[in-house]
PDB file of all heavy atoms in Angstrom:
ATOM      1  N   PHE A 499      21.599  28.199 -32.744  1.00  0.00           N
ATOM      2  CA  PHE A 499      22.713  29.143 -32.690  1.00  0.00           C
ATOM      3  C   PHE A 499      22.235  30.462 -33.291  1.00  0.00           C
ATOM      4  O   PHE A 499      22.294  30.677 -34.493  1.00  0.00           O
ATOM      5  CB  PHE A 499      23.904  28.579 -33.481  1.00  0.00           C
ATOM      6  CG  PHE A 499      25.246  29.090 -33.036  1.00  0.00           C
ATOM      7  CD1 PHE A 499      25.942  28.446 -32.020  1.00  0.00           C
ATOM      8  CD2 PHE A 499      25.828  30.190 -33.633  1.00  0.00           C
ATOM      9  CE1 PHE A 499      27.194  28.901 -31.611  1.00  0.00           C
ATOM     10  CE2 PHE A 499      27.069  30.645 -33.230  1.00  0.00           C
ATOM     11  CZ  PHE A 499      27.757  30.003 -32.214  1.00  0.00           C
ATOM     12  N   ALA A 500      21.733  31.333 -32.430  1.00  0.00           N
ATOM     13  CA  ALA A 500      21.029  32.523 -32.890  1.00  0.00           C
ATOM     14  C   ALA A 500      21.788  33.795 -32.545  1.00  0.00           C
ATOM     15  O   ALA A 500      22.284  33.954 -31.426  1.00  0.00           O
ATOM     16  CB  ALA A 500      19.631  32.573 -32.271  1.00  0.00           C
ATOM     17  N   PHE A 501      21.852  34.719 -33.507  1.00  0.00           N
ATOM     18  CA  PHE A 501      22.420  36.041 -33.253  1.00  0.00           C
ATOM     19  C   PHE A 501      21.353  36.922 -32.617  1.00  0.00           C
ATOM     20  O   PHE A 501      20.240  37.037 -33.142  1.00  0.00           O
ATOM     21  CB  PHE A 501      22.908  36.686 -34.548  1.00  0.00           C
ATOM     22  CG  PHE A 501      23.644  37.982 -34.327  1.00  0.00           C
ATOM     23  CD1 PHE A 501      24.977  37.978 -33.967  1.00  0.00           C
ATOM     24  CD2 PHE A 501      22.999  39.200 -34.464  1.00  0.00           C
ATOM     25  CE1 PHE A 501      25.664  39.171 -33.747  1.00  0.00           C
ATOM     26  CE2 PHE A 501      23.674  40.394 -34.245  1.00  0.00           C
ATOM     27  CZ  PHE A 501      25.013  40.377 -33.889  1.00  0.00           C
ATOM     28  N   ILE A 502      21.689  37.527 -31.487  1.00  0.00           N
ATOM     29  CA  ILE A 502      20.715  38.377 -30.784  1.00  0.00           C
ATOM     30  C   ILE A 502      21.345  39.704 -30.381  1.00  0.00           C
ATOM     31  O   ILE A 502      21.569  39.989 -29.230  1.00  0.00           O
ATOM     32  CB  ILE A 502      20.104  37.670 -29.551  1.00  0.00           C
ATOM     33  CG1 ILE A 502      21.193  37.044 -28.674  1.00  0.00           C
ATOM     34  CG2 ILE A 502      19.127  36.601 -29.974  1.00  0.00           C
ATOM     35  CD1 ILE A 502      20.637  36.465 -27.371  1.00  0.00           C
ATOM     36  N   GLY A 503      21.602  40.509 -31.367  1.00  0.00           N
ATOM     37  CA  GLY A 503      22.044  41.881 -31.136  1.00  0.00           C
ATOM     38  C   GLY A 503      23.525  42.106 -31.173  1.00  0.00           C
ATOM     39  O   GLY A 503      24.046  42.824 -32.015  1.00  0.00           O
ATOM     40  N   ASN A 504      24.285  41.473 -30.277  1.00  0.00           N
ATOM     41  CA  ASN A 504      25.739  41.617 -30.248  1.00  0.00           C
ATOM     42  C   ASN A 504      26.428  40.349 -29.766  1.00  0.00           C
ATOM     43  O   ASN A 504      27.577  40.384 -29.315  1.00  0.00           O
ATOM     44  CB  ASN A 504      26.150  42.805 -29.374  1.00  0.00           C
ATOM     45  CG  ASN A 504      25.656  42.668 -27.946  1.00  0.00           C
ATOM     46  OD1 ASN A 504      25.110  41.642 -27.543  1.00  0.00           O
ATOM     47  ND2 ASN A 504      25.839  43.727 -27.146  1.00  0.00           N
ATOM     48  N   ARG A 505      25.748  39.232 -29.912  1.00  0.00           N
ATOM     49  CA  ARG A 505      26.280  37.953 -29.448  1.00  0.00           C
ATOM     50  C   ARG A 505      25.510  36.816 -30.116  1.00  0.00           C
ATOM     51  O   ARG A 505      24.450  37.024 -30.699  1.00  0.00           O
ATOM     52  CB  ARG A 505      26.155  37.837 -27.933  1.00  0.00           C
ATOM     53  CG  ARG A 505      24.714  37.829 -27.422  1.00  0.00           C
ATOM     54  CD  ARG A 505      24.664  37.979 -25.927  1.00  0.00           C
ATOM     55  NE  ARG A 505      23.303  37.835 -25.386  1.00  0.00           N
ATOM     56  CZ  ARG A 505      22.422  38.805 -25.295  1.00  0.00           C
ATOM     57  NH1 ARG A 505      22.767  40.020 -25.704  1.00  0.00           N
ATOM     58  NH2 ARG A 505      21.219  38.600 -24.767  1.00  0.00           N
ATOM     59  N   PHE A 506      26.075  35.622 -30.004  1.00  0.00           N
ATOM     60  CA  PHE A 506      25.393  34.417 -30.456  1.00  0.00           C
ATOM     61  C   PHE A 506      24.944  33.607 -29.246  1.00  0.00           C
ATOM     62  O   PHE A 506      25.712  33.404 -28.303  1.00  0.00           O
ATOM     63  CB  PHE A 506      26.314  33.559 -31.330  1.00  0.00           C
ATOM     64  CG  PHE A 506      26.469  34.086 -32.736  1.00  0.00           C
ATOM     65  CD1 PHE A 506      27.523  34.910 -33.055  1.00  0.00           C
ATOM     66  CD2 PHE A 506      25.558  33.759 -33.716  1.00  0.00           C
ATOM     67  CE1 PHE A 506      27.670  35.409 -34.345  1.00  0.00           C
ATOM     68  CE2 PHE A 506      25.689  34.245 -35.011  1.00  0.00           C
ATOM     69  CZ  PHE A 506      26.750  35.071 -35.323  1.00  0.00           C
ATOM     70  N   GLU A 507      23.694  33.151 -29.307  1.00  0.00           N
ATOM     71  CA  GLU A 507      23.135  32.344 -28.233  1.00  0.00           C
ATOM     72  C   GLU A 507      23.087  30.891 -28.685  1.00  0.00           C
ATOM     73  O   GLU A 507      22.301  30.524 -29.553  1.00  0.00           O
ATOM     74  CB  GLU A 507      21.731  32.828 -27.860  1.00  0.00           C
ATOM     75  CG  GLU A 507      21.121  32.072 -26.683  1.00  0.00           C
ATOM     76  CD  GLU A 507      19.719  32.559 -26.339  1.00  0.00           C
ATOM     77  OE1 GLU A 507      18.951  32.854 -27.276  1.00  0.00           O
ATOM     78  OE2 GLU A 507      19.386  32.671 -25.152  1.00  0.00           O
ATOM     79  N   PHE A 508      23.938  30.066 -28.093  1.00  0.00           N
ATOM     80  CA  PHE A 508      23.966  28.626 -28.369  1.00  0.00           C
ATOM     81  C   PHE A 508      22.987  27.979 -27.401  1.00  0.00           C
ATOM     82  O   PHE A 508      23.287  27.713 -26.251  1.00  0.00           O
ATOM     83  CB  PHE A 508      25.390  28.100 -28.176  1.00  0.00           C
ATOM     84  CG  PHE A 508      25.602  26.686 -28.644  1.00  0.00           C
ATOM     85  CD1 PHE A 508      24.755  26.084 -29.566  1.00  0.00           C
ATOM     86  CD2 PHE A 508      26.681  25.946 -28.169  1.00  0.00           C
ATOM     87  CE1 PHE A 508      24.959  24.785 -30.002  1.00  0.00           C
ATOM     88  CE2 PHE A 508      26.901  24.641 -28.606  1.00  0.00           C
ATOM     89  CZ  PHE A 508      26.041  24.072 -29.519  1.00  0.00           C
ATOM     90  N   ARG A 509      21.774  27.693 -27.885  1.00  0.00           N
ATOM     91  CA  ARG A 509      20.670  27.285 -27.029  1.00  0.00           C
ATOM     92  C   ARG A 509      20.629  25.786 -26.759  1.00  0.00           C
ATOM     93  O   ARG A 509      19.802  25.326 -25.980  1.00  0.00           O
ATOM     94  CB  ARG A 509      19.343  27.712 -27.670  1.00  0.00           C
ATOM     95  CG  ARG A 509      19.167  29.224 -27.737  1.00  0.00           C
ATOM     96  CD  ARG A 509      17.900  29.604 -28.493  1.00  0.00           C
ATOM     97  NE  ARG A 509      16.729  28.948 -27.980  1.00  0.00           N
ATOM     98  CZ  ARG A 509      16.024  29.329 -26.935  1.00  0.00           C
ATOM     99  NH1 ARG A 509      16.409  30.412 -26.282  1.00  0.00           N
ATOM    100  NH2 ARG A 509      14.958  28.675 -26.521  1.00  0.00           N
ATOM    101  N   ALA A 510      21.504  25.027 -27.403  1.00  0.00           N
ATOM    102  CA  ALA A 510      21.419  23.573 -27.303  1.00  0.00           C
ATOM    103  C   ALA A 510      22.206  22.990 -26.134  1.00  0.00           C
ATOM    104  O   ALA A 510      22.137  21.774 -25.892  1.00  0.00           O
ATOM    105  CB  ALA A 510      21.894  22.935 -28.608  1.00  0.00           C
ATOM    106  N   VAL A 511      22.960  23.798 -25.406  1.00  0.00           N
ATOM    107  CA  VAL A 511      23.753  23.286 -24.282  1.00  0.00           C
ATOM    108  C   VAL A 511      22.817  22.772 -23.194  1.00  0.00           C
ATOM    109  O   VAL A 511      21.823  23.402 -22.849  1.00  0.00           O
ATOM    110  CB  VAL A 511      24.677  24.383 -23.717  1.00  0.00           C
ATOM    111  CG1 VAL A 511      25.508  23.838 -22.559  1.00  0.00           C
ATOM    112  CG2 VAL A 511      25.577  24.936 -24.819  1.00  0.00           C
ATOM    113  N   GLY A 512      23.136  21.598 -22.643  1.00  0.00           N
ATOM    114  CA  GLY A 512      22.293  20.983 -21.628  1.00  0.00           C
ATOM    115  C   GLY A 512      22.448  21.625 -20.262  1.00  0.00           C
ATOM    116  O   GLY A 512      23.501  22.186 -19.921  1.00  0.00           O
ATOM    117  N   SER A 513      21.409  21.534 -19.449  1.00  0.00           N
ATOM    118  CA  SER A 513      21.406  22.195 -18.146  1.00  0.00           C
ATOM    119  C   SER A 513      22.371  21.571 -17.151  1.00  0.00           C
ATOM    120  O   SER A 513      22.793  22.232 -16.204  1.00  0.00           O
ATOM    121  CB  SER A 513      19.990  22.205 -17.561  1.00  0.00           C
ATOM    122  OG  SER A 513      19.432  20.909 -17.569  1.00  0.00           O
ATOM    123  N   THR A 514      22.733  20.286 -17.324  1.00  0.00           N
ATOM    124  CA  THR A 514      23.679  19.658 -16.402  1.00  0.00           C
ATOM    125  C   THR A 514      25.128  19.868 -16.811  1.00  0.00           C
ATOM    126  O   THR A 514      26.043  19.575 -16.044  1.00  0.00           O
ATOM    127  CB  THR A 514      23.441  18.138 -16.306  1.00  0.00           C
ATOM    128  OG1 THR A 514      23.600  17.549 -17.612  1.00  0.00           O
ATOM    129  CG2 THR A 514      22.062  17.830 -15.755  1.00  0.00           C
ATOM    130  N   ALA A 515      25.340  20.368 -18.024  1.00  0.00           N
ATOM    131  CA  ALA A 515      26.684  20.415 -18.587  1.00  0.00           C
ATOM    132  C   ALA A 515      27.526  21.530 -17.990  1.00  0.00           C
ATOM    133  O   ALA A 515      27.014  22.589 -17.619  1.00  0.00           O
ATOM    134  CB  ALA A 515      26.609  20.597 -20.105  1.00  0.00           C
ATOM    135  N   SER A 516      28.827  21.277 -17.922  1.00  0.00           N
ATOM    136  CA  SER A 516      29.774  22.363 -17.744  1.00  0.00           C
ATOM    137  C   SER A 516      29.843  23.121 -19.071  1.00  0.00           C
ATOM    138  O   SER A 516      29.878  22.506 -20.140  1.00  0.00           O
ATOM    139  CB  SER A 516      31.152  21.822 -17.377  1.00  0.00           C
ATOM    140  OG  SER A 516      32.147  22.808 -17.575  1.00  0.00           O
ATOM    141  N   VAL A 517      29.873  24.450 -19.008  1.00  0.00           N
ATOM    142  CA  VAL A 517      29.941  25.227 -20.242  1.00  0.00           C
ATOM    143  C   VAL A 517      31.367  25.336 -20.772  1.00  0.00           C
ATOM    144  O   VAL A 517      31.594  25.903 -21.839  1.00  0.00           O
ATOM    145  CB  VAL A 517      29.331  26.631 -20.056  1.00  0.00           C
ATOM    146  CG1 VAL A 517      27.831  26.551 -19.914  1.00  0.00           C
ATOM    147  CG2 VAL A 517      29.943  27.344 -18.851  1.00  0.00           C
ATOM    148  N   ALA A 518      32.333  24.772 -20.043  1.00  0.00           N
ATOM    149  CA  ALA A 518      33.728  24.880 -20.467  1.00  0.00           C
ATOM    150  C   ALA A 518      33.970  24.179 -21.803  1.00  0.00           C
ATOM    151  O   ALA A 518      34.619  24.721 -22.695  1.00  0.00           O
ATOM    152  CB  ALA A 518      34.647  24.322 -19.387  1.00  0.00           C
ATOM    153  N   TRP A 519      33.468  22.940 -21.959  1.00  0.00           N
ATOM    154  CA  TRP A 519      33.726  22.189 -23.175  1.00  0.00           C
ATOM    155  C   TRP A 519      33.039  22.807 -24.404  1.00  0.00           C
ATOM    156  O   TRP A 519      33.702  23.000 -25.432  1.00  0.00           O
ATOM    157  CB  TRP A 519      33.329  20.726 -22.980  1.00  0.00           C
ATOM    158  CG  TRP A 519      33.443  19.866 -24.206  1.00  0.00           C
ATOM    159  CD1 TRP A 519      32.452  19.131 -24.781  1.00  0.00           C
ATOM    160  CD2 TRP A 519      34.596  19.627 -25.018  1.00  0.00           C
ATOM    161  NE1 TRP A 519      32.898  18.470 -25.882  1.00  0.00           N
ATOM    162  CE2 TRP A 519      34.231  18.754 -26.056  1.00  0.00           C
ATOM    163  CE3 TRP A 519      35.920  20.094 -24.967  1.00  0.00           C
ATOM    164  CZ2 TRP A 519      35.121  18.318 -27.033  1.00  0.00           C
ATOM    165  CZ3 TRP A 519      36.812  19.665 -25.952  1.00  0.00           C
ATOM    166  CH2 TRP A 519      36.416  18.786 -26.968  1.00  0.00           C
ATOM    167  N   PRO A 520      31.740  23.157 -24.373  1.00  0.00           N
ATOM    168  CA  PRO A 520      31.145  23.816 -25.539  1.00  0.00           C
ATOM    169  C   PRO A 520      31.884  25.087 -25.941  1.00  0.00           C
ATOM    170  O   PRO A 520      32.042  25.365 -27.137  1.00  0.00           O
ATOM    171  CB  PRO A 520      29.713  24.128 -25.084  1.00  0.00           C
ATOM    172  CG  PRO A 520      29.421  23.111 -24.043  1.00  0.00           C
ATOM    173  CD  PRO A 520      30.719  22.880 -23.335  1.00  0.00           C
ATOM    174  N   ASN A 521      32.350  25.870 -24.969  1.00  0.00           N
ATOM    175  CA  ASN A 521      33.050  27.102 -25.311  1.00  0.00           C
ATOM    176  C   ASN A 521      34.477  26.850 -25.782  1.00  0.00           C
ATOM    177  O   ASN A 521      35.014  27.639 -26.571  1.00  0.00           O
ATOM    178  CB  ASN A 521      33.013  28.069 -24.124  1.00  0.00           C
ATOM    179  CG  ASN A 521      31.665  28.728 -23.974  1.00  0.00           C
ATOM    180  OD1 ASN A 521      31.315  29.662 -24.681  1.00  0.00           O
ATOM    181  ND2 ASN A 521      30.858  28.214 -23.044  1.00  0.00           N
ATOM    182  N   THR A 522      35.078  25.770 -25.333  1.00  0.00           N
ATOM    183  CA  THR A 522      36.357  25.354 -25.906  1.00  0.00           C
ATOM    184  C   THR A 522      36.191  25.068 -27.392  1.00  0.00           C
ATOM    185  O   THR A 522      37.004  25.489 -28.220  1.00  0.00           O
ATOM    186  CB  THR A 522      36.891  24.102 -25.181  1.00  0.00           C
ATOM    187  OG1 THR A 522      37.129  24.408 -23.806  1.00  0.00           O
ATOM    188  CG2 THR A 522      38.189  23.614 -25.810  1.00  0.00           C
ATOM    189  N   VAL A 523      35.133  24.360 -27.738  1.00  0.00           N
ATOM    190  CA  VAL A 523      34.862  24.024 -29.138  1.00  0.00           C
ATOM    191  C   VAL A 523      34.554  25.283 -29.950  1.00  0.00           C
ATOM    192  O   VAL A 523      35.108  25.484 -31.035  1.00  0.00           O
ATOM    193  CB  VAL A 523      33.707  23.005 -29.233  1.00  0.00           C
ATOM    194  CG1 VAL A 523      33.246  22.845 -30.681  1.00  0.00           C
ATOM    195  CG2 VAL A 523      34.142  21.661 -28.660  1.00  0.00           C
ATOM    196  N   ILE A 524      33.671  26.154 -29.442  1.00  0.00           N
ATOM    197  CA  ILE A 524      33.325  27.377 -30.174  1.00  0.00           C
ATOM    198  C   ILE A 524      34.571  28.227 -30.412  1.00  0.00           C
ATOM    199  O   ILE A 524      34.820  28.690 -31.529  1.00  0.00           O
ATOM    200  CB  ILE A 524      32.257  28.188 -29.420  1.00  0.00           C
ATOM    201  CG1 ILE A 524      30.938  27.417 -29.358  1.00  0.00           C
ATOM    202  CG2 ILE A 524      32.034  29.538 -30.106  1.00  0.00           C
ATOM    203  CD1 ILE A 524      29.896  28.078 -28.476  1.00  0.00           C
ATOM    204  N   ASN A 525      35.361  28.430 -29.369  1.00  0.00           N
ATOM    205  CA  ASN A 525      36.576  29.235 -29.509  1.00  0.00           C
ATOM    206  C   ASN A 525      37.510  28.651 -30.566  1.00  0.00           C
ATOM    207  O   ASN A 525      38.087  29.386 -31.379  1.00  0.00           O
ATOM    208  CB  ASN A 525      37.314  29.331 -28.176  1.00  0.00           C
ATOM    209  CG  ASN A 525      36.624  30.217 -27.169  1.00  0.00           C
ATOM    210  OD1 ASN A 525      35.759  31.021 -27.513  1.00  0.00           O
ATOM    211  ND2 ASN A 525      36.987  30.069 -25.907  1.00  0.00           N
TER     212      ASN A 525
END
Side-chain angles (χ1 to χ4, degrees):
F499 206 88
F501 187 82
I502 49 174
N504 59 7
R505 64 191 186 274
F506 283 94
E507 183 181 39
F508 190 21
R509 294 175 53 82
V511 181
S513 52
T514 60
S516 163
V517 289
W519 175 237
N521 284 282
T522 298
V523 169
I524 295 173
N525 288 343

